[in-house]
Amino acid sequence: MKKVLLLGASGSIGTQSLDIIEAHPDRFTLTGFSLGKRVGMIPDFLKRFPSVQYLCVSNAIDAENLRKTYPDLKVFHGDEGLVSIIEECPSDMVINALVGFAGLVPSVASLEENKILCLANKESLVVGGSIINGLLTEGKGKLWPIDSEHVAIAKLLSCIDRHDLKRVLITASGGSFRKRSRAELVGVTKEDALAHPTWSMGAKITIDSATMMNKGFEIIEADVLFGIGVDHVTPLMHDESYVHSLIELQDGTLLADVSKPDMHGPIEYALMEGDVPFTPVKGKCLADYQPYHFHDFDPQRYPAVPLALASHRRGGNSNAILNAANEIAVYAFLEGKLPFLSIEEEVRYALDTVPFTEKPTLEDLLLTDKLTREAVSNHIGG
Ligand code: NDP
Ligand code: MG
């Protein structure tokens, strides 16, 4: 029986993680969870999971009210509260389903506490990949990805001898504007951008899918998780989101992970620590995967991808700049303060102006994040 602490319980990945925990009462007990501002969801979660003893929410006032309503629960709040709940709540496994940079310190704290980290928060890996890998190399904790492409890649790599790997084909839906040219993106609205064609996800990752910054992040994530250099990961446009990724072997054989687009599968894979049945679908070429459709990726249509890869190649604190600038710009777009096409411009501006640090510590990354947020917020104005 694994004791589980879930960070980000109110979100898209968080609520689906609760479904998986609930479906396996013989394997998992939920001992604590965090959410941000959607405190109205707490009574239902506590009813479903009476084993919960620890909570964390964003605001101090919400935490105070919860302590009065639930005197038997230990309630934390804020960024420090997320670290405290990881340290104090009895758990073997932490699911990090937070969105954005806020997930980095909790990822690091979970590994430092020797937890099994089931990680949806890809921003942790993009910004702090070397710190996270450093902890894993020291033998601190374990990491299982939740991102669907990376679960697919992990499953496919487990079927081969690594020497046989030629490259990874990471699939991409192209997001909500995939049928439009760049010229047709002028003046697009938040509502248009949030209408993802194949996945139902949180707002931030849905916008990242529309710019395809998400795919840039995921190529970086593949490098951090599996040591596959970014030059050996090729983005491949795929309409239906059924083929979660493919690997190509030295002899040209393709292996794919194919299933309907539903994050319950990847979450279950991570929580079961890879112990799920899997059979790769073999092909000689992409046409063997009919009825599914694939297209070449066009970097000029989606400049966020080459921008992300250039940042990763530069190294140091670049990905912290990349991520912070992207977060500020995405939320400014969602608030109607920035046109969609300016998201990439703000990221480029930040990479050109925020000071570079070659070997950043966690504190350096926190400082870079703060400086970048200030620089981009000032640049956007309003
Ligand atoms: P959501 O926005 O749906 O959920 C985010 C969760 O984090 C919510 O519980 C939210 O609380 C909480 N949260 C947000 N900001 C803070 C903060 N500053 N402090 C504390 N808690 C906070 O996001 P998703 O579930 O879509 O995504 C989560 C992560 O998983 C992201 O990194 C995303 O890229 C990744 N991912 C998501 C996929 C998906 O299908 N959704 C697929 C693959 C990866 P509240 O809302 O209560 O304020
Ligand atoms: Mg993904």
Side-chain angles (χ1 to χ4, degrees):
M1 178 72 83
K2 289 259 173 350
K3 294 194 180 84
V4 182
L5 167 63
L6 170 61
L7 307 180
S10 54
S12 163
I13 295 291
T15 50
Q16 295 178 84
S17 299
L18 291 175
D19 296 340
I20 300 293
I21 295 167
E22 200 167 38
H24 298 280
D26 52 324
R27 291 190 70 142
F28 306 113
T29 313
L30 189 72
T31 49
F33 67 83
S34 88
L35 48 73
K37 298 187 177 140
R38 287 182 270 180
V39 288
M41 297 172 91
I42 291 175
D44 174 54
F45 292 169
L46 291 175
K47 207 165 151 199
R48 282 168 69 193
F49 300 94
S51 50
V52 167
Q53 293 156 341
Y54 291 76
L55 282 184
C56 182
V57 293
S58 282
N59 295 326
I61 294 170
D62 287 335
E64 203 42 58
N65 289 334
L66 286 162
R67 280 181 204 114
K68 285 182 196 138
T69 315
Y70 304 106
D72 293 341
L73 299 187
K74 180 108 198 227
V75 185
F76 301 96
H77 73 271
D79 292 346
E80 303 79 28
L82 285 171
V83 175
S84 302
I85 198 171
I86 292 164
E87 289 171 351
E88 293 187 32
C89 174
S91 72
D92 308 294
M93 184 175 262
V94 176
I95 305 173
N96 184 346
L98 299 166
V99 63
F101 184 80
L104 173 63
V105 170
S107 285
V108 170
S110 300
L111 294 177
E112 278 173 344
E113 291 290 316
N114 264 317
K115 309 286 183 187
I116 302 162
L117 174 62
C118 298
L119 187 57
N121 179 263
K122 64 187 80 185
E123 294 89 350
S124 298
L125 290 171
V126 170
V127 176
S130 54
I131 289 171
I132 287 175
N133 274 340
L135 286 165
L136 291 168
T137 308
E138 276 174 39
K140 297 268 186 177
K142 289 207 175 75
L143 195 159
W144 292 92
I146 286 183
D147 215 346
S148 59
E149 294 79 357
H150 303 80
V151 167
I153 296 166
K155 289 196 280 190
L156 293 165
L157 290 178
S158 74
C159 301
I160 64 159
D161 181 335
R162 194 57 195 268
H163 293 106
D164 293 335
L165 179 69
K166 187 167 167 198
R167 63 174 176 156
V168 167
L169 295 161
I170 190 163
T171 48
S173 71
S176 38
F177 299 135
R178 62 188 184 177
K179 299 259 189 302
R180 302 191 196 199
S181 67
R182 275 186 83 73
E184 290 169 322
L185 298 179
V186 176
V188 291
T189 64
K190 160 185 163 177
E191 288 71 26
D192 297 332
L194 287 175
H196 195 283
T198 51
W199 291 100
S200 166
M201 309 182 285
K204 197 251 175 186
I205 186 176
T206 305
I207 304 304
D208 286 346
S209 298
T211 58
M212 272 187 71
M213 182 61 83
N214 183 52
K215 210 48 56 178
F217 281 2
E218 289 185 354
I219 296 173
I220 296 170
E221 201 183 346
D223 185 33
V224 174
L225 286 170
F226 309 114
I228 304 171
V230 295
D231 296 329
H232 290 93
V233 184
T234 310
L236 177 68
M237 309 308 290
H238 163 47
D239 293 350
E240 295 87 2
S241 298
Y242 267 70
V243 178
H244 301 302
S245 276
L246 305 99
I247 56 175
E248 184 180 342
L249 307 185
Q250 298 291 356
D251 68 2
T253 305
L254 294 172
L255 298 177
D257 178 14
V258 185
S259 65
K260 72 173 182 183
D262 178 349
M263 285 306 295
H264 287 94
I267 295 167
E268 186 164 41
Y269 168 88
L271 268 67
M272 297 291 185
E273 298 173 81
D275 186 17
V276 293
F278 173 64
T279 312
V281 182
K282 221 171 176 176
K284 288 198 183 69
C285 61
L286 290 174
D288 288 346
Y289 294 95
Q290 281 176 18
Y292 304 119
H293 298 86
F294 304 92
H295 317 276
D296 287 341
F297 165 71
D298 174 5
Q300 270 151 16
R301 168 65 183 80
Y302 292 104
V305 176
L307 200 56
L309 300 187
S311 163
H312 190 58
R313 286 193 184 95
R314 187 171 75 160
N317 63 342
S318 299
N319 287 353
I321 302 171
L322 172 84
N323 177 70
N326 183 60
E327 275 186 38
I328 292 292
V330 166
Y331 288 111
F333 167 70
L334 286 170
E335 287 162 20
K337 294 181 187 156
L338 189 75
F340 180 78
L341 284 171
S342 299
I343 296 174
E344 295 133 2
E345 281 169 32
E346 292 303 328
V347 174
R348 201 170 283 118
Y349 163 78
L351 285 167
D352 287 345
T353 52
V354 177
F356 179 72
T357 309
E358 185 141 12
K359 286 203 170 119
T361 60
L362 184 58
E363 287 67 34
D364 294 330
L365 294 176
L366 292 165
L367 181 63
T368 299
D369 179 76
K370 181 169 172 281
L371 291 176
T372 308
R373 283 168 194 272
E374 286 165 7
V376 176
S377 299
N378 289 338
H379 195 240
I380 292 171

